[in-house]
């Protein structure tokens, strides 16, 4: 029994784990129904922590991620955005991650022509 518990603890420590902190909808000014050309897009950034206590770098703010998402995917409008924040723990280091997922309306020049 003790060997099984020790083996389980070693596997859990070596494989790491993910701890979700929050999932929340973000307000965006264009909350209309998506068009047929709209697609889901995501942008994320991570930071670095030591021992789960010392924060060396933080992930970007959701506003920065939303703007980066809009530019990278050439979105005319971004709506129905959601922010996910979680931490991947690995032995003595952890990586806090923030991710924004949204609906992207393509710019006029990006829309397929009939």
């Amino acid at each position: 029994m003790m060997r099984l518990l020790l083996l389980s603890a070693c596997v859990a420590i070596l494989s790491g784990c993910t701890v979700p902190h929050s999932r929340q909808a973000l307000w965006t000014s264009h909350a209309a129904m998506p068009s047929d050309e709209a697609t889901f897009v995501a942008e994320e950034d991570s930071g670095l922590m030591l021992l789960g206590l010392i924060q060396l770098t933080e992930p970007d703010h959701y506003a920065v991620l939303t703007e980066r998402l809009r530019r990278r995917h050439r979105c005319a409008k971004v709506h129905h955005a959601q922010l996910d924040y979680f931490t991947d723990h690995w032995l003595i280091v952890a990586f806090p991650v923030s991710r924004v997922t949204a609906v992207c309306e393509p710019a006029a020049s990006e829309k397929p022509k009939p």
Side-chain angles (χ1 to χ4, degrees):
M1 181 68 170
M2 188 61 143
R3 285 186 196 174
L4 182 60
L5 288 174
L6 184 58
L7 179 64
S8 298
C10 289
V11 169
I13 289 172
L14 293 176
S15 66
C17 61
T18 300
V19 179
H21 298 284
S22 68
R23 173 171 283 197
Q24 54 190 307
L26 301 174
W27 178 85
T28 51
S29 61
H30 307 287
M33 290 296 294
S35 68
D36 292 338
E37 294 85 21
T39 58
F40 278 102
V41 292
E43 189 70 32
E44 70 179 43
D45 191 45
S46 65
L48 178 64
M49 292 173 64
L50 292 178
L51 303 171
L53 301 171
I54 303 167
Q55 185 91 23
L56 299 176
T57 60
E58 292 185 4
D60 284 336
H61 190 268
Y62 71 87
V64 174
L65 292 174
T66 304
E67 181 60 20
R68 191 184 310 153
L69 176 140
R70 187 187 67 75
R71 288 183 181 181
R72 182 173 291 165
H73 297 282
R74 297 183 183 108
C75 303
K77 297 177 187 174
V78 174
H79 51 92
H80 295 87
Q82 177 176 304
L83 172 67
D84 297 316
Y85 187 75
F86 55 93
T87 303
D88 284 331
H89 291 275
W90 294 90
L91 294 178
I92 62 170
V93 281
F95 303 96
V97 178
S98 60
R99 176 188 301 136
V100 171
T101 307
V103 175
C104 171
E105 296 285 348
S109 63
E110 302 292 321
K111 288 183 181 176
K113 302 195 181 194

